[in-house]
Amino acid sequence: MPVVGQWMRFPCLDPGLPTRLLPSGRHGEAAQDLTCELRELLEIPAFKYVASVVGHPAER
């Protein structure tokens, strides 16, 4: 699942632009925080679920 792994890094990236260069009303920081919180909450249960359906890679 390299594509999923690559995509999951994207929302947590910060381009590091100064606030004055960002559009007004931008919700980027809040969206970034929410995305990272959701990942922390769901990552382990999601991996466990996938492993229960397709089996653990070490079992092949």
Side-chain angles (χ1 to χ4, degrees):
M1 294 212 181
V3 173
V4 174
Q6 291 171 3
W7 178 85
M8 282 306 301
R9 285 192 299 268
F10 177 75
C12 295
L13 293 176
D14 180 356
L17 295 174
T19 305
R20 63 183 171 78
L21 296 177
L22 299 173
S24 63
R26 178 180 177 269
H27 301 288
E29 188 174 321
Q32 179 182 5
D33 291 345
L34 177 60
T35 300
C36 291
E37 287 176 32
L38 288 172
R39 180 177 183 183
E40 288 177 17
L41 178 69
L42 299 172
E43 183 175 35
I44 292 174
F47 278 115
K48 286 180 179 179
Y49 173 75
V50 170
S52 75
V53 172
V54 300
H56 193 276
E59 296 173 358
R60 292 184 191 171

